[in-house]
Amino acid sequence: MARLGTDKFVVEREKEVATRLSPGVFPTGRQSEWSAQNRTLTHSVHPLTNSVALCVAGKQPREQLKTEIRVYEQDQRIYVCGFGTTPDERLSFINDTHAVFSAIQSIMDARETHVGVDALLRMSALYREAMLRQVRVLQDARDSEFVRSESDVFQAMHAVWHLLEIVYVTTNSGLSASVVPYYMEWLNFNFPAPAAADGERIIGSSPDSNALAQNPDVWPYVQKLALRGHVTTVANMLERIAPAQVLSAAASRWARELAQTARDMPLASSDETSGSFNARWRRWNSGLQSMATNIGSMLDKADDDALSALAMVVDVMRGDADSISRVGDTWQDVLGAVLLYSEPTAQTERLPALAQLVLEQFESDDFTLVDRTLAALVRHELPEFLVYCNQIDAWLSAHVSDLMQHIGILDSCRRVFKVEPREHYLVFLGERYLTHEGLWRVAMDYFGLCRTRVSQNIMGEYIVRMPLESDRKAQQVLRVCERYKLTEAMERVHRQLGRQKWQRGRLGAAIAHFVRVNDSSAVGQICDQLWAEYLASGNLTYGPIIDSVLATSAHDRVRFLTVYRDFHECYKGGEFKRAGKLLLSILVGEIAPSHAVPDLLVDSIPLLEGDALVFGADDTLELMRCAESVAQSLVDSDVCGVGRDELSIFNVACARNLARSYVMQ
């Protein structure tokens, strides 16, 4: 079989895709006229999906043209074309397998080592179950070319995955050293033959043993049964045929003998030693060899079609390579029969040599893509196998490379590929999923679980361009950033959300987002907006807004508004001493913006002039110090609505309070 050169193991070029626009951009058959009328095509690629907006444009502005051009209806259309999009029919399968993929990565993280064989077997079984479930869903769907194509793809993926599981996981689990029973189980499950319907048809059309023996399809059917190892069914068919009077006495006798021999075929068991099984196998095979010799002697003396057909069954079951090749239609059939009847205790390491001998009997040009993929697998040519998996489906190559990583067999591919195989295929699959708006979260996990700088960069670039239509989606995006430590992207998202909330008047939420990224400027501007609204209306209504962010914010402006709100509540409640302490803490702590200080000084006047002494001498001097700094910044115009007259009143109040404090102290 021809091998791929190593240069094929580079990142493969995407298949070219042709999309036909309906209706077309220009009238049918008038392309030249359309182009001559100053027309060309322009396009814009969507930054997040595999879609292109296409429309007609002029080669030159119409104002520069000397003659009028004809206007077509298609000139007014914009075509949106999607390429390589993920069909909705796959969503259930994608979500199911994504859950398995994420679980196995979690197991690996928890153990900080390779995943155990038992865990890999469970994971593989869940993957295969999802594939088979998808096949059943497609079989129940309305028949179409798409459904048939998808069904073929999923059946192919299951066959490939199942054999990979057998070759590299099951036979390494300690359950059995022999690959043969597992290979035969794989072969008969994924490529069932001969068809059960054929057997029913043959039996149904043959009312008795004579009619059955004369049926031209019966012996090829029995030979196929023997090839696939269905020895019990072989015995049943031979016992039905043997009583036929149309058969020779020799044919009837050997049919009964072979039926019993088929039933006596030894099967290995877990509690039997390999030596004991090999001894039983040799005795059983020796009986077939003797049977073949006796039948051959009889055929040398006289022609007997039934006996000749029976001899072919015997030759297949005794492991004759030529007979197996004549009966087998595919290399998978032939390899299975060789393993079953010639090397029943063969281990995985024996597969490449046997497979090569079998494959040489077939013309490789006739092989399907699935044939090539399976052939590369049984020959242990893993780089070639991985390339073929990607040609079958992007899902298959991504998850196969991940499984190979956990098994520890991906190094052989790394030596050949010019890129990291697992990273490349997982990123490629993630990019495919980004074309579907409902799969962005799944795509993020495939990127993130690559654990590489390239995938991190892709995630960051995508997330900052993602439309955030709802709070729920915004929280999902932020959780992704937090989980995969996308610090820069998280900051940009918080700023974007902060601006959105600000524009919508949700100032508390806006402050919370800006606080998360330490954007003091934005927090200050929002707090200034709240302060200005208070000064304009005289109503202190920002309390709920501040309370919503108080636990997460230590910003000075937020603290200022909080303490000032508490000052107001104490003043209204008649707790003047506490109100005075709160007001003084704002001024002394310098947490208020400079433009708010004059208003705070004015707020202290009622406390200075009140009946009770609220501010002591030291406190009053501190208030006067603040007033002096404000006075130095005053110009002829008012500052925040506070003029010189009001500050003069404040100074008088301070002088009186200072004198009163000295007298009382």
Side-chain angles (χ1 to χ4, degrees):
M1 181 179 176
R3 310 290 179 86
L4 287 176
T6 56
D7 59 330
K8 295 292 181 69
F9 300 131
V10 193
V11 178
E12 298 143 289
R13 181 183 176 185
E14 277 290 283
K15 297 178 181 179
E16 295 183 358
V17 179
T19 298
R20 297 186 179 275
L21 303 179
S22 180
V25 178
F26 46 80
T28 305
R30 303 174 70 174
Q31 179 179 358
S32 299
E33 177 186 346
W34 177 87
S35 178
Q37 292 285 325
N38 188 46
R39 285 176 171 80
T40 186
L41 293 178
T42 185
H43 70 279
S44 177
V45 180
H46 194 288
L48 301 181
T49 64
N50 289 352
S51 59
V52 178
L54 186 73
C55 64
V56 177
K59 298 176 184 177
Q60 297 179 354
R62 295 187 64 174
E63 293 77 12
Q64 297 180 7
L65 299 177
K66 297 180 180 179
T67 59
E68 289 292 325
I69 62 172
R70 183 174 179 181
V71 177
Y72 295 103
E73 180 184 354
Q74 290 89 334
D75 295 345
Q76 313 303 317
R77 293 193 179 98
I78 296 178
Y79 300 85
V80 179
C81 310
F83 299 96
T85 56
T86 302
D88 290 341
E89 289 79 2
R90 283 200 182 194
L91 292 183
S92 178
F93 169 79
I94 291 171
N95 287 318
D96 290 345
T97 53
H98 162 251
V100 179
F101 175 78
S102 299
I104 202 67
Q105 312 310 316
S106 299
I107 294 173
M108 184 181 70
D109 291 342
R111 296 183 180 180
E112 297 181 354
T113 182
H114 289 298
V115 180
V117 171
D118 291 341
L120 289 175
L121 283 173
R122 289 195 299 271
M123 177 197 74
S124 183
L126 290 173
Y127 276 138
R128 291 200 292 112
E129 181 181 335
M131 294 180 219
L132 294 175
R133 187 163 53 247
Q134 184 68 9
V135 171
R136 291 192 293 271
V137 169
L138 291 167
Q139 290 174 344
D140 293 339
R142 180 180 297 179
D143 185 51
S144 66
E145 183 178 350
F146 167 78
V147 168
R148 289 192 296 273
S149 175
E150 280 285 279
S151 181
D152 290 344
V153 167
F154 277 94
Q155 290 182 48
M157 289 200 299
H158 183 273
V160 171
W161 188 280
H162 193 182
L163 186 58
L164 176 66
E165 173 191 309
I166 289 170
V167 173
Y168 285 105
V169 184
T170 304
T171 53
N172 292 324
S173 64
L175 299 176
S176 173
S178 174
V179 73
V180 178
Y182 297 103
Y183 181 90
M184 295 306 297
E185 177 188 0
W186 167 82
L187 179 63
N188 288 312
F189 184 87
N190 293 279
F191 305 99
D198 292 343
E200 294 173 359
R201 177 179 52 80
I202 291 171
I203 297 296
S205 62
S206 307
D208 54 32
S209 57
N210 286 324
L212 185 60
Q214 291 176 318
N215 192 315
D217 297 328
V218 69
W219 289 113
Y221 179 72
V222 173
Q223 291 164 5
K224 293 289 185 184
L225 289 172
L227 186 77
R228 284 301 190 94
H230 301 305
V231 291
T232 301
T233 310
V234 169
N236 292 337
M237 291 295 293
L238 291 176
E239 288 171 351
R240 282 174 173 266
I241 296 171
Q245 296 179 357
V246 296
L247 293 181
S248 64
S252 295
R253 173 198 166 194
W254 288 115
R256 292 188 178 91
E257 289 280 345
L258 184 56
Q260 186 58 49
T261 301
R263 293 191 186 280
D264 293 339
M265 179 178 175
L267 299 175
S269 61
S270 58
D271 57 352
E272 183 181 25
T273 64
S274 58
S276 173
F277 173 76
N278 287 331
R280 290 197 300 123
W281 180 268
R282 284 192 294 271
R283 288 194 297 272
W284 182 80
N285 186 261
S286 176
L288 284 171
Q289 298 288 352
S290 299
M291 188 181 299
T293 300
N294 292 329
I295 293 176
S297 300
M298 294 180 181
L299 289 174
D300 289 339
K301 298 176 182 178
D303 292 335
D304 188 329
D305 292 341
L307 195 59
S308 179
L310 194 63
M312 180 63 73
V313 178
V314 173
D315 288 339
V316 168
M317 293 179 65
R318 70 184 179 88
D320 180 68
D322 292 337
S323 300
I324 291 173
S325 297
R326 283 197 296 272
V327 175
D329 295 326
T330 67
W331 67 264
Q332 293 94 331
D333 282 344
V334 175
L335 178 59
V338 169
L339 286 168
L340 182 62
Y341 296 122
S342 297
E343 301 198 28
T345 59
Q347 298 181 357
T348 303
E349 293 76 11
R350 183 74 176 123
L351 277 180
L354 291 176
Q356 187 59 37
L357 292 174
V358 170
L359 288 166
E360 288 174 352
Q361 304 172 25
F362 292 83
E363 181 57 51
S364 62
D365 292 340
D366 297 333
F367 283 2
T368 65
L369 177 58
V370 178
D371 287 331
R372 297 178 187 277
T373 308
L374 296 172
L377 176 58
V378 294
R379 291 188 308 194
H380 294 188
E381 295 174 349
L382 297 181
E384 186 173 344
F385 165 69
L386 202 49
V387 170
Y388 286 139
C389 284
N390 193 53
Q391 293 177 10
I392 292 174
D393 195 86
W395 183 94
L396 184 62
S397 56
H399 292 82
V400 161
S401 61
D402 181 63
L403 178 62
M404 292 168 65
Q405 167 80 5
H406 298 315
I407 297 172
I409 59 174
L410 197 58
D411 287 342
S412 61
C413 298
R414 292 191 177 100
R415 291 191 291 268
V416 178
F417 279 77
K418 293 183 178 180
V419 294
E420 171 61 32
R422 178 178 178 273
E423 172 196 339
H424 166 63
Y425 287 123
L426 287 177
V427 169
F428 182 67
L429 181 64
E431 289 176 336
R432 285 288 185 89
Y433 287 169
L434 287 179
T435 63
H436 194 291
E437 62 181 9
L439 293 175
W440 72 269
R441 183 66 183 80
V442 174
M444 290 297 106
D445 279 344
Y446 280 100
F447 290 137
L449 293 171
C450 284
R451 300 181 175 87
T452 63
R453 181 175 298 177
V454 172
S455 59
Q456 292 283 101
N457 291 339
I458 293 175
M459 292 175 70
E461 291 299 319
Y462 181 83
I463 280 179
V464 298
R465 290 168 173 80
M466 185 180 298
L468 305 175
E469 305 94 345
S470 64
D471 288 345
R472 180 173 177 271
K473 185 171 183 180
Q475 291 305 314
Q476 288 178 332
V477 170
L478 291 173
R479 282 196 293 270
V480 168
C481 293
E482 184 177 1
R483 178 180 181 184
Y484 296 113
K485 298 178 173 59
L486 303 174
T487 306
E488 183 178 349
M490 180 182 286
E491 290 181 356
R492 294 174 67 178
V493 170
H494 272 302
R495 285 193 171 90
Q496 179 183 349
L497 290 170
R499 288 191 295 269
Q500 287 182 1
K501 307 302 182 188
W502 194 355
Q503 292 170 0
R504 296 170 185 171
R506 298 175 59 184
L507 302 184
I511 291 175
H513 285 295
F514 287 128
V515 165
R516 289 292 300 271
V517 295
N518 298 319
D519 192 338
S520 298
S521 175
V523 173
Q525 291 179 51
I526 296 175
C527 290
D528 287 347
Q529 178 180 331
L530 292 171
W531 179 254
E533 291 174 356
Y534 160 66
L535 293 178
S537 66
N539 297 320
L540 200 153
T541 57
Y542 62 72
I545 296 175
I546 294 302
D547 289 340
S548 67
V549 296
L550 191 58
T552 59
S553 174
H555 195 278
D556 282 349
R557 298 293 180 85
V558 176
R559 287 173 53 211
F560 158 60
L561 293 178
T562 303
V563 176
Y564 187 77
R565 186 268 311 272
D566 294 342
F567 157 74
H568 252 272
E569 291 178 352
C570 290
Y571 186 85
K572 288 181 180 180
E575 301 179 56
F576 299 127
K577 284 186 174 292
R578 187 175 175 218
K581 289 181 179 180
L582 290 171
L583 186 60
L584 196 63
S585 69
I586 295 175
L587 294 167
V588 174
E590 298 182 349
I591 61 175
S594 58
H595 59 76
V597 172
D599 297 289
L600 298 176
L601 294 175
V602 172
D603 284 339
S604 69
I605 293 175
L607 297 175
L608 291 167
E609 296 285 355
D611 294 336
L613 182 65
V614 175
F615 298 108
D618 292 339
D619 295 340
T620 306
L621 290 173
E622 191 64 41
L623 290 173
M624 294 176 72
R625 182 191 64 79
C626 294
E628 184 180 357
S629 64
V630 171
Q632 293 176 355
S633 63
L634 280 174
V635 290
D636 293 337
S637 59
D638 293 347
V639 178
C640 294
V642 177
R644 291 182 178 275
D645 292 342
E646 290 171 300
L647 288 180
S648 297
I649 296 172
F650 167 79
N651 289 330
V652 172
C654 283
R656 291 175 180 172
N657 189 77
L658 186 61
R660 184 168 51 159
S661 65
Y662 283 138
V663 171
M664 295 183 67
Q665 290 177 357

